[in-house]
Amino acid sequence: MNTAKRLIPLVGASIALMALFRILVPGFLNPENLVDLVQQISVNAIIAFGMTFCILIGGIDLSVGAVLAVVGTTAVYVLGYGEAETQSLFRFFLAVGAGLVVAALFGAFNGVCAARTKMPPFIITLATMMVARGAALRFNQGRPISIPAHETLFLGLGNGRIAGVLPVPVLVMLVILVISAVLLHRTRFGQHLYGIGGNREAARFTGIAVGRAEITVYILCALFTGIAGIIATSQLYSAEPASGAGFELNAIAAAVVGGTSFTGGIGSIPGTFIGAVIIGTLDKGLNQAGVHFSYQYILKGLVILTAVYFDVRRKKT
């Protein structure tokens, strides 16, 4: 019930935002424009679901944008290895699998460091971000790696549509939304995460394996980022070593605007999804309204600041 009450203002804010851009941008609520909006939201939402798990336990992952880039470069490098001229189902799965394995390794490193060394996750993932970005830039000497035109399966992950209507990235986002919601709100694992975020020492005394849960959370966040990275790379038709810059900020913004508390213990997957909708609507609406990108950064910063302010006020009451 408390979660439902927290979602009502968010739903109201997203509706108000869409109504505003309907006035400022003719055709903003056209079906095709809305489908395009949801498709743009999908990558950020997938990353934000993983970020929610991290923030919920009092952590954070600043490396997601860079991991997204290195996953994309890894997958496309494997996909085009040997300069094959025909599509191969085996090579497709090998490329996707290689990208996800790389993502999981970064996540495991973050999780083990956070759980075993007691270093702040902010510092750990900041360092990982630099390592991942350097690794992405090392591929092909920092130049983009094009996806061969015949690799229609891979290109379809970011650009295809189911029955010619539903974009594949949106379908993937909805599947991950359901999986995340079930994990967080319907399993003992999810209950443990809320307990860890609420009071880490108390959770440890009640028998919760805090370290194991922490490692799992960072691997989960990295895997979601890996999936988002493969989709984003497919949408670009190439692996861009510099891609994903700033994605960590958008993911954090979606989680925080969606009601996830920076101090841990409070948050929900539906809230994060609505937060991603708000951030995505703001980005697309401001772009279509012709607002200069500098003002877009200012407005987005104010939105995040307002969300954190109300979170602090809520905790004091």
Side-chain angles (χ1 to χ4, degrees), residues 152-186:
T152 54
L153 276 176
F154 195 91
L155 291 171
L157 291 175
N159 305 286
R161 292 197 175 192
I162 307 297
V165 178
L166 181 66
V168 173
V170 177
L171 177 62
V172 175
M173 176 195 68
L174 293 174
V175 170
I176 295 178
L177 187 155
V178 172
I179 292 172
S180 301
V182 170
L183 272 177
L184 190 56
H185 304 298
R186 291 289 183 269

PDB file of all heavy atoms in Angstrom, residues 152-186:
ATOM      1  N   THR A 152      21.523  -9.652 -39.498  1.00  0.00           N
ATOM      2  CA  THR A 152      20.182  -9.128 -39.244  1.00  0.00           C
ATOM      3  C   THR A 152      19.638  -9.514 -37.870  1.00  0.00           C
ATOM      4  O   THR A 152      18.846  -8.780 -37.295  1.00  0.00           O
ATOM      5  CB  THR A 152      19.207  -9.610 -40.327  1.00  0.00           C
ATOM      6  OG1 THR A 152      19.260 -11.038 -40.411  1.00  0.00           O
ATOM      7  CG2 THR A 152      19.578  -9.007 -41.681  1.00  0.00           C
ATOM      8  N   LEU A 153      20.069 -10.662 -37.355  1.00  0.00           N
ATOM      9  CA  LEU A 153      19.620 -11.068 -36.017  1.00  0.00           C
ATOM     10  C   LEU A 153      20.108 -10.080 -34.965  1.00  0.00           C
ATOM     11  O   LEU A 153      19.339  -9.637 -34.110  1.00  0.00           O
ATOM     12  CB  LEU A 153      20.131 -12.483 -35.685  1.00  0.00           C
ATOM     13  CG  LEU A 153      19.311 -13.661 -36.183  1.00  0.00           C
ATOM     14  CD1 LEU A 153      20.026 -14.964 -35.849  1.00  0.00           C
ATOM     15  CD2 LEU A 153      17.921 -13.653 -35.575  1.00  0.00           C
ATOM     16  N   PHE A 154      21.369  -9.740 -35.026  1.00  0.00           N
ATOM     17  CA  PHE A 154      21.949  -8.803 -34.057  1.00  0.00           C
ATOM     18  C   PHE A 154      21.340  -7.412 -34.242  1.00  0.00           C
ATOM     19  O   PHE A 154      20.988  -6.748 -33.262  1.00  0.00           O
ATOM     20  CB  PHE A 154      23.468  -8.741 -34.218  1.00  0.00           C
ATOM     21  CG  PHE A 154      24.170  -8.087 -33.062  1.00  0.00           C
ATOM     22  CD1 PHE A 154      24.615  -8.832 -31.987  1.00  0.00           C
ATOM     23  CD2 PHE A 154      24.375  -6.715 -33.047  1.00  0.00           C
ATOM     24  CE1 PHE A 154      25.251  -8.223 -30.909  1.00  0.00           C
ATOM     25  CE2 PHE A 154      25.014  -6.098 -31.987  1.00  0.00           C
ATOM     26  CZ  PHE A 154      25.454  -6.859 -30.911  1.00  0.00           C
ATOM     27  N   LEU A 155      21.222  -6.970 -35.479  1.00  0.00           N
ATOM     28  CA  LEU A 155      20.639  -5.653 -35.747  1.00  0.00           C
ATOM     29  C   LEU A 155      19.173  -5.598 -35.324  1.00  0.00           C
ATOM     30  O   LEU A 155      18.674  -4.542 -34.920  1.00  0.00           O
ATOM     31  CB  LEU A 155      20.773  -5.316 -37.232  1.00  0.00           C
ATOM     32  CG  LEU A 155      22.195  -5.049 -37.726  1.00  0.00           C
ATOM     33  CD1 LEU A 155      22.225  -4.946 -39.242  1.00  0.00           C
ATOM     34  CD2 LEU A 155      22.761  -3.775 -37.101  1.00  0.00           C
ATOM     35  N   GLY A 156      18.512  -6.734 -35.380  1.00  0.00           N
ATOM     36  CA  GLY A 156      17.103  -6.778 -34.987  1.00  0.00           C
ATOM     37  C   GLY A 156      16.886  -6.575 -33.505  1.00  0.00           C
ATOM     38  O   GLY A 156      15.795  -6.167 -33.080  1.00  0.00           O
ATOM     39  N   LEU A 157      17.917  -6.844 -32.685  1.00  0.00           N
ATOM     40  CA  LEU A 157      17.778  -6.665 -31.235  1.00  0.00           C
ATOM     41  C   LEU A 157      17.502  -5.209 -30.871  1.00  0.00           C
ATOM     42  O   LEU A 157      16.823  -4.921 -29.878  1.00  0.00           O
ATOM     43  CB  LEU A 157      19.046  -7.138 -30.524  1.00  0.00           C
ATOM     44  CG  LEU A 157      19.309  -8.645 -30.549  1.00  0.00           C
ATOM     45  CD1 LEU A 157      20.666  -8.954 -29.918  1.00  0.00           C
ATOM     46  CD2 LEU A 157      18.204  -9.389 -29.818  1.00  0.00           C
ATOM     47  N   GLY A 158      18.041  -4.292 -31.647  1.00  0.00           N
ATOM     48  CA  GLY A 158      17.837  -2.879 -31.342  1.00  0.00           C
ATOM     49  C   GLY A 158      16.863  -2.184 -32.254  1.00  0.00           C
ATOM     50  O   GLY A 158      16.319  -1.132 -31.899  1.00  0.00           O
ATOM     51  N   ASN A 159      16.608  -2.777 -33.442  1.00  0.00           N
ATOM     52  CA  ASN A 159      15.818  -2.076 -34.446  1.00  0.00           C
ATOM     53  C   ASN A 159      14.595  -2.854 -34.939  1.00  0.00           C
ATOM     54  O   ASN A 159      13.776  -2.287 -35.670  1.00  0.00           O
ATOM     55  CB  ASN A 159      16.709  -1.747 -35.651  1.00  0.00           C
ATOM     56  CG  ASN A 159      17.953  -0.980 -35.254  1.00  0.00           C
ATOM     57  OD1 ASN A 159      17.912   0.194 -34.941  1.00  0.00           O
ATOM     58  ND2 ASN A 159      19.103  -1.672 -35.231  1.00  0.00           N
ATOM     59  N   GLY A 160      14.477  -4.106 -34.535  1.00  0.00           N
ATOM     60  CA  GLY A 160      13.363  -4.915 -35.009  1.00  0.00           C
ATOM     61  C   GLY A 160      12.068  -4.620 -34.270  1.00  0.00           C
ATOM     62  O   GLY A 160      12.049  -3.992 -33.207  1.00  0.00           O
ATOM     63  N   ARG A 161      10.973  -5.080 -34.845  1.00  0.00           N
ATOM     64  CA  ARG A 161       9.651  -4.926 -34.226  1.00  0.00           C
ATOM     65  C   ARG A 161       8.901  -6.249 -34.279  1.00  0.00           C
ATOM     66  O   ARG A 161       8.958  -6.959 -35.296  1.00  0.00           O
ATOM     67  CB  ARG A 161       8.837  -3.833 -34.922  1.00  0.00           C
ATOM     68  CG  ARG A 161       9.403  -2.426 -34.720  1.00  0.00           C
ATOM     69  CD  ARG A 161       8.391  -1.359 -35.042  1.00  0.00           C
ATOM     70  NE  ARG A 161       8.908  -0.026 -34.740  1.00  0.00           N
ATOM     71  CZ  ARG A 161       8.161   1.072 -34.708  1.00  0.00           C
ATOM     72  NH1 ARG A 161       6.866   0.978 -34.976  1.00  0.00           N
ATOM     73  NH2 ARG A 161       8.690   2.234 -34.416  1.00  0.00           N
ATOM     74  N   ILE A 162       8.183  -6.553 -33.214  1.00  0.00           N
ATOM     75  CA  ILE A 162       7.364  -7.757 -33.152  1.00  0.00           C
ATOM     76  C   ILE A 162       6.043  -7.454 -33.844  1.00  0.00           C
ATOM     77  O   ILE A 162       5.351  -6.500 -33.473  1.00  0.00           O
ATOM     78  CB  ILE A 162       7.114  -8.192 -31.693  1.00  0.00           C
ATOM     79  CG1 ILE A 162       8.436  -8.334 -30.928  1.00  0.00           C
ATOM     80  CG2 ILE A 162       6.309  -9.485 -31.651  1.00  0.00           C
ATOM     81  CD1 ILE A 162       9.364  -9.396 -31.449  1.00  0.00           C
ATOM     82  N   ALA A 163       5.693  -8.270 -34.815  1.00  0.00           N
ATOM     83  CA  ALA A 163       4.459  -8.078 -35.591  1.00  0.00           C
ATOM     84  C   ALA A 163       4.405  -6.696 -36.225  1.00  0.00           C
ATOM     85  O   ALA A 163       3.324  -6.162 -36.495  1.00  0.00           O
ATOM     86  CB  ALA A 163       3.225  -8.297 -34.705  1.00  0.00           C
ATOM     87  N   GLY A 164       5.583  -6.103 -36.449  1.00  0.00           N
ATOM     88  CA  GLY A 164       5.651  -4.803 -37.084  1.00  0.00           C
ATOM     89  C   GLY A 164       5.193  -3.644 -36.220  1.00  0.00           C
ATOM     90  O   GLY A 164       5.084  -2.516 -36.689  1.00  0.00           O
ATOM     91  N   VAL A 165       4.951  -3.919 -34.924  1.00  0.00           N
ATOM     92  CA  VAL A 165       4.413  -2.874 -34.038  1.00  0.00           C
ATOM     93  C   VAL A 165       5.289  -2.657 -32.808  1.00  0.00           C
ATOM     94  O   VAL A 165       5.776  -1.553 -32.555  1.00  0.00           O
ATOM     95  CB  VAL A 165       2.977  -3.225 -33.589  1.00  0.00           C
ATOM     96  CG1 VAL A 165       2.450  -2.158 -32.627  1.00  0.00           C
ATOM     97  CG2 VAL A 165       2.058  -3.375 -34.781  1.00  0.00           C
ATOM     98  N   LEU A 166       5.492  -3.709 -32.015  1.00  0.00           N
ATOM     99  CA  LEU A 166       6.199  -3.593 -30.734  1.00  0.00           C
ATOM    100  C   LEU A 166       7.710  -3.690 -30.946  1.00  0.00           C
ATOM    101  O   LEU A 166       8.210  -4.725 -31.383  1.00  0.00           O
ATOM    102  CB  LEU A 166       5.737  -4.697 -29.775  1.00  0.00           C
ATOM    103  CG  LEU A 166       6.374  -4.701 -28.377  1.00  0.00           C
ATOM    104  CD1 LEU A 166       5.961  -3.457 -27.594  1.00  0.00           C
ATOM    105  CD2 LEU A 166       5.994  -5.968 -27.616  1.00  0.00           C
ATOM    106  N   PRO A 167       8.460  -2.624 -30.625  1.00  0.00           N
ATOM    107  CA  PRO A 167       9.923  -2.692 -30.771  1.00  0.00           C
ATOM    108  C   PRO A 167      10.530  -3.766 -29.869  1.00  0.00           C
ATOM    109  O   PRO A 167      10.101  -3.930 -28.720  1.00  0.00           O
ATOM    110  CB  PRO A 167      10.373  -1.290 -30.335  1.00  0.00           C
ATOM    111  CG  PRO A 167       9.190  -0.415 -30.518  1.00  0.00           C
ATOM    112  CD  PRO A 167       8.006  -1.288 -30.212  1.00  0.00           C
ATOM    113  N   VAL A 168      11.501  -4.488 -30.394  1.00  0.00           N
ATOM    114  CA  VAL A 168      12.164  -5.547 -29.627  1.00  0.00           C
ATOM    115  C   VAL A 168      12.763  -5.017 -28.325  1.00  0.00           C
ATOM    116  O   VAL A 168      12.627  -5.658 -27.278  1.00  0.00           O
ATOM    117  CB  VAL A 168      13.247  -6.239 -30.483  1.00  0.00           C
ATOM    118  CG1 VAL A 168      14.061  -7.225 -29.639  1.00  0.00           C
ATOM    119  CG2 VAL A 168      12.608  -6.962 -31.656  1.00  0.00           C
ATOM    120  N   PRO A 169      13.438  -3.822 -28.314  1.00  0.00           N
ATOM    121  CA  PRO A 169      13.973  -3.307 -27.050  1.00  0.00           C
ATOM    122  C   PRO A 169      12.909  -3.103 -25.974  1.00  0.00           C
ATOM    123  O   PRO A 169      13.163  -3.309 -24.793  1.00  0.00           O
ATOM    124  CB  PRO A 169      14.598  -1.960 -27.445  1.00  0.00           C
ATOM    125  CG  PRO A 169      14.906  -2.098 -28.889  1.00  0.00           C
ATOM    126  CD  PRO A 169      13.813  -2.942 -29.446  1.00  0.00           C
ATOM    127  N   VAL A 170      11.696  -2.718 -26.395  1.00  0.00           N
ATOM    128  CA  VAL A 170      10.603  -2.531 -25.435  1.00  0.00           C
ATOM    129  C   VAL A 170      10.180  -3.872 -24.849  1.00  0.00           C
ATOM    130  O   VAL A 170       9.931  -3.986 -23.644  1.00  0.00           O
ATOM    131  CB  VAL A 170       9.407  -1.827 -26.103  1.00  0.00           C
ATOM    132  CG1 VAL A 170       8.230  -1.697 -25.128  1.00  0.00           C
ATOM    133  CG2 VAL A 170       9.810  -0.447 -26.614  1.00  0.00           C
ATOM    134  N   LEU A 171      10.109  -4.909 -25.698  1.00  0.00           N
ATOM    135  CA  LEU A 171       9.767  -6.245 -25.214  1.00  0.00           C
ATOM    136  C   LEU A 171      10.806  -6.735 -24.211  1.00  0.00           C
ATOM    137  O   LEU A 171      10.459  -7.262 -23.147  1.00  0.00           O
ATOM    138  CB  LEU A 171       9.673  -7.217 -26.394  1.00  0.00           C
ATOM    139  CG  LEU A 171       9.385  -8.679 -26.026  1.00  0.00           C
ATOM    140  CD1 LEU A 171       8.030  -8.814 -25.334  1.00  0.00           C
ATOM    141  CD2 LEU A 171       9.439  -9.570 -27.269  1.00  0.00           C
ATOM    142  N   VAL A 172      12.091  -6.544 -24.532  1.00  0.00           N
ATOM    143  CA  VAL A 172      13.166  -6.953 -23.614  1.00  0.00           C
ATOM    144  C   VAL A 172      13.046  -6.190 -22.296  1.00  0.00           C
ATOM    145  O   VAL A 172      13.174  -6.767 -21.211  1.00  0.00           O
ATOM    146  CB  VAL A 172      14.547  -6.707 -24.257  1.00  0.00           C
ATOM    147  CG1 VAL A 172      15.663  -7.012 -23.256  1.00  0.00           C
ATOM    148  CG2 VAL A 172      14.712  -7.565 -25.501  1.00  0.00           C
ATOM    149  N   MET A 173      12.781  -4.886 -22.376  1.00  0.00           N
ATOM    150  CA  MET A 173      12.627  -4.068 -21.170  1.00  0.00           C
ATOM    151  C   MET A 173      11.482  -4.581 -20.299  1.00  0.00           C
ATOM    152  O   MET A 173      11.612  -4.687 -19.076  1.00  0.00           O
ATOM    153  CB  MET A 173      12.366  -2.614 -21.549  1.00  0.00           C
ATOM    154  CG  MET A 173      12.102  -1.695 -20.355  1.00  0.00           C
ATOM    155  SD  MET A 173      11.385  -0.101 -20.832  1.00  0.00           S
ATOM    156  CE  MET A 173       9.749  -0.611 -21.411  1.00  0.00           C
ATOM    157  N   LEU A 174      10.355  -4.927 -20.921  1.00  0.00           N
ATOM    158  CA  LEU A 174       9.193  -5.405 -20.164  1.00  0.00           C
ATOM    159  C   LEU A 174       9.498  -6.745 -19.478  1.00  0.00           C
ATOM    160  O   LEU A 174       9.090  -6.979 -18.337  1.00  0.00           O
ATOM    161  CB  LEU A 174       7.985  -5.536 -21.083  1.00  0.00           C
ATOM    162  CG  LEU A 174       7.419  -4.219 -21.636  1.00  0.00           C
ATOM    163  CD1 LEU A 174       6.304  -4.494 -22.647  1.00  0.00           C
ATOM    164  CD2 LEU A 174       6.902  -3.338 -20.500  1.00  0.00           C
ATOM    165  N   VAL A 175      10.232  -7.613 -20.181  1.00  0.00           N
ATOM    166  CA  VAL A 175      10.612  -8.906 -19.587  1.00  0.00           C
ATOM    167  C   VAL A 175      11.509  -8.680 -18.371  1.00  0.00           C
ATOM    168  O   VAL A 175      11.309  -9.280 -17.310  1.00  0.00           O
ATOM    169  CB  VAL A 175      11.321  -9.793 -20.633  1.00  0.00           C
ATOM    170  CG1 VAL A 175      11.940 -11.023 -19.963  1.00  0.00           C
ATOM    171  CG2 VAL A 175      10.338 -10.215 -21.716  1.00  0.00           C
ATOM    172  N   ILE A 176      12.488  -7.793 -18.507  1.00  0.00           N
ATOM    173  CA  ILE A 176      13.402  -7.519 -17.392  1.00  0.00           C
ATOM    174  C   ILE A 176      12.679  -6.794 -16.266  1.00  0.00           C
ATOM    175  O   ILE A 176      12.967  -7.020 -15.086  1.00  0.00           O
ATOM    176  CB  ILE A 176      14.622  -6.718 -17.886  1.00  0.00           C
ATOM    177  CG1 ILE A 176      15.435  -7.583 -18.851  1.00  0.00           C
ATOM    178  CG2 ILE A 176      15.506  -6.266 -16.725  1.00  0.00           C
ATOM    179  CD1 ILE A 176      16.641  -6.898 -19.435  1.00  0.00           C
ATOM    180  N   LEU A 177      11.721  -5.951 -16.600  1.00  0.00           N
ATOM    181  CA  LEU A 177      10.898  -5.293 -15.577  1.00  0.00           C
ATOM    182  C   LEU A 177      10.182  -6.331 -14.725  1.00  0.00           C
ATOM    183  O   LEU A 177      10.189  -6.251 -13.484  1.00  0.00           O
ATOM    184  CB  LEU A 177       9.892  -4.355 -16.243  1.00  0.00           C
ATOM    185  CG  LEU A 177       9.044  -3.445 -15.324  1.00  0.00           C
ATOM    186  CD1 LEU A 177       8.596  -2.199 -16.112  1.00  0.00           C
ATOM    187  CD2 LEU A 177       7.808  -4.140 -14.786  1.00  0.00           C
ATOM    188  N   VAL A 178       9.557  -7.305 -15.380  1.00  0.00           N
ATOM    189  CA  VAL A 178       8.829  -8.352 -14.654  1.00  0.00           C
ATOM    190  C   VAL A 178       9.780  -9.192 -13.796  1.00  0.00           C
ATOM    191  O   VAL A 178       9.507  -9.459 -12.620  1.00  0.00           O
ATOM    192  CB  VAL A 178       8.057  -9.253 -15.641  1.00  0.00           C
ATOM    193  CG1 VAL A 178       7.472 -10.462 -14.913  1.00  0.00           C
ATOM    194  CG2 VAL A 178       6.943  -8.463 -16.322  1.00  0.00           C
ATOM    195  N   ILE A 179      10.922  -9.586 -14.382  1.00  0.00           N
ATOM    196  CA  ILE A 179      11.898 -10.383 -13.633  1.00  0.00           C
ATOM    197  C   ILE A 179      12.393  -9.603 -12.416  1.00  0.00           C
ATOM    198  O   ILE A 179      12.475 -10.142 -11.307  1.00  0.00           O
ATOM    199  CB  ILE A 179      13.088 -10.762 -14.546  1.00  0.00           C
ATOM    200  CG1 ILE A 179      12.638 -11.747 -15.618  1.00  0.00           C
ATOM    201  CG2 ILE A 179      14.234 -11.360 -13.725  1.00  0.00           C
ATOM    202  CD1 ILE A 179      13.687 -12.022 -16.681  1.00  0.00           C
ATOM    203  N   SER A 180      12.717  -8.330 -12.607  1.00  0.00           N
ATOM    204  CA  SER A 180      13.220  -7.490 -11.511  1.00  0.00           C
ATOM    205  C   SER A 180      12.169  -7.325 -10.421  1.00  0.00           C
ATOM    206  O   SER A 180      12.481  -7.397  -9.226  1.00  0.00           O
ATOM    207  CB  SER A 180      13.642  -6.119 -12.047  1.00  0.00           C
ATOM    208  OG  SER A 180      14.628  -6.237 -13.016  1.00  0.00           O
ATOM    209  N   ALA A 181      10.927  -7.069 -10.837  1.00  0.00           N
ATOM    210  CA  ALA A 181       9.850  -6.875  -9.867  1.00  0.00           C
ATOM    211  C   ALA A 181       9.610  -8.129  -9.054  1.00  0.00           C
ATOM    212  O   ALA A 181       9.416  -8.062  -7.827  1.00  0.00           O
ATOM    213  CB  ALA A 181       8.570  -6.443 -10.587  1.00  0.00           C
ATOM    214  N   VAL A 182       9.634  -9.277  -9.710  1.00  0.00           N
ATOM    215  CA  VAL A 182       9.441 -10.544  -8.988  1.00  0.00           C
ATOM    216  C   VAL A 182      10.587 -10.779  -8.008  1.00  0.00           C
ATOM    217  O   VAL A 182      10.371 -11.138  -6.850  1.00  0.00           O
ATOM    218  CB  VAL A 182       9.308 -11.720  -9.978  1.00  0.00           C
ATOM    219  CG1 VAL A 182       9.353 -13.055  -9.238  1.00  0.00           C
ATOM    220  CG2 VAL A 182       8.014 -11.606 -10.766  1.00  0.00           C
ATOM    221  N   LEU A 183      11.819 -10.574  -8.475  1.00  0.00           N
ATOM    222  CA  LEU A 183      12.995 -10.768  -7.612  1.00  0.00           C
ATOM    223  C   LEU A 183      12.943  -9.869  -6.379  1.00  0.00           C
ATOM    224  O   LEU A 183      13.194 -10.323  -5.256  1.00  0.00           O
ATOM    225  CB  LEU A 183      14.275 -10.466  -8.395  1.00  0.00           C
ATOM    226  CG  LEU A 183      14.921 -11.600  -9.178  1.00  0.00           C
ATOM    227  CD1 LEU A 183      16.127 -11.073  -9.943  1.00  0.00           C
ATOM    228  CD2 LEU A 183      15.337 -12.737  -8.265  1.00  0.00           C
ATOM    229  N   LEU A 184      12.592  -8.615  -6.591  1.00  0.00           N
ATOM    230  CA  LEU A 184      12.656  -7.645  -5.495  1.00  0.00           C
ATOM    231  C   LEU A 184      11.443  -7.703  -4.586  1.00  0.00           C
ATOM    232  O   LEU A 184      11.569  -7.533  -3.371  1.00  0.00           O
ATOM    233  CB  LEU A 184      12.810  -6.229  -6.072  1.00  0.00           C
ATOM    234  CG  LEU A 184      13.137  -5.125  -5.062  1.00  0.00           C
ATOM    235  CD1 LEU A 184      14.407  -5.446  -4.278  1.00  0.00           C
ATOM    236  CD2 LEU A 184      13.294  -3.784  -5.773  1.00  0.00           C
ATOM    237  N   HIS A 185      10.276  -7.952  -5.149  1.00  0.00           N
ATOM    238  CA  HIS A 185       9.051  -7.812  -4.364  1.00  0.00           C
ATOM    239  C   HIS A 185       8.366  -9.133  -4.021  1.00  0.00           C
ATOM    240  O   HIS A 185       7.401  -9.127  -3.252  1.00  0.00           O
ATOM    241  CB  HIS A 185       8.058  -6.917  -5.115  1.00  0.00           C
ATOM    242  CG  HIS A 185       8.616  -5.578  -5.471  1.00  0.00           C
ATOM    243  ND1 HIS A 185       9.028  -4.664  -4.523  1.00  0.00           N
ATOM    244  CD2 HIS A 185       8.851  -4.996  -6.682  1.00  0.00           C
ATOM    245  CE1 HIS A 185       9.473  -3.572  -5.133  1.00  0.00           C
ATOM    246  NE2 HIS A 185       9.398  -3.760  -6.434  1.00  0.00           N
ATOM    247  N   ARG A 186       8.872 -10.243  -4.579  1.00  0.00           N
ATOM    248  CA  ARG A 186       8.176 -11.516  -4.340  1.00  0.00           C
ATOM    249  C   ARG A 186       9.109 -12.647  -3.897  1.00  0.00           C
ATOM    250  O   ARG A 186       8.701 -13.808  -3.894  1.00  0.00           O
ATOM    251  CB  ARG A 186       7.440 -11.951  -5.622  1.00  0.00           C
ATOM    252  CG  ARG A 186       6.250 -11.052  -5.996  1.00  0.00           C
ATOM    253  CD  ARG A 186       5.091 -11.254  -5.015  1.00  0.00           C
ATOM    254  NE  ARG A 186       3.920 -10.471  -5.397  1.00  0.00           N
ATOM    255  CZ  ARG A 186       3.676  -9.236  -4.976  1.00  0.00           C
ATOM    256  NH1 ARG A 186       4.547  -8.632  -4.161  1.00  0.00           N
ATOM    257  NH2 ARG A 186       2.590  -8.590  -5.358  1.00  0.00           N
TER     258      ARG A 186
END
